[in-house]
Amino acid sequence: MENSVRNPVVAGSFYPADPVKLRKTVTEFIEAAKPEKLNGDVIALVSPHAGYIYSGHVASYSFKLIS
């Protein structure tokens, strides 16, 4: 493989193109998430995938549970 890293083709459309803004956006979503404590282990994760303005808050709950 000549280039094994795919260039982002939708950066700036569904999420910020600027890496600093993107990191800030994701960090804010994760910090704002306050998921309820689960009884048991997480064995699978289903998370929405859409523009961050639409699904970022919901997805952050999932990822905070497994962090």
Side-chain angles (χ1 to χ4, degrees):
M1 263 193 265
E2 191 173 309
N3 183 3
S4 62
V5 176
R6 183 175 179 266
N7 290 326
V9 294
V10 295
S13 297
F14 301 105
Y15 55 88
D18 176 20
V20 174
K21 288 181 183 175
L22 176 58
R23 181 176 299 278
K24 182 178 184 286
T25 299
V26 171
T27 299
E28 288 173 353
F29 284 145
I30 298 291
E31 288 176 352
K34 306 290 185 222
E36 293 182 22
K37 187 113 175 141
L38 295 179
N39 294 323
D41 297 326
V42 176
I43 59 169
L45 177 69
V46 177
S47 179
H49 175 33
Y52 285 12
I53 62 170
Y54 305 111
S55 67
H57 292 285
V58 175
S60 67
Y61 276 76
S62 302
F63 292 109
K64 184 118 180 212
L65 276 172
I66 63 171
S67 65

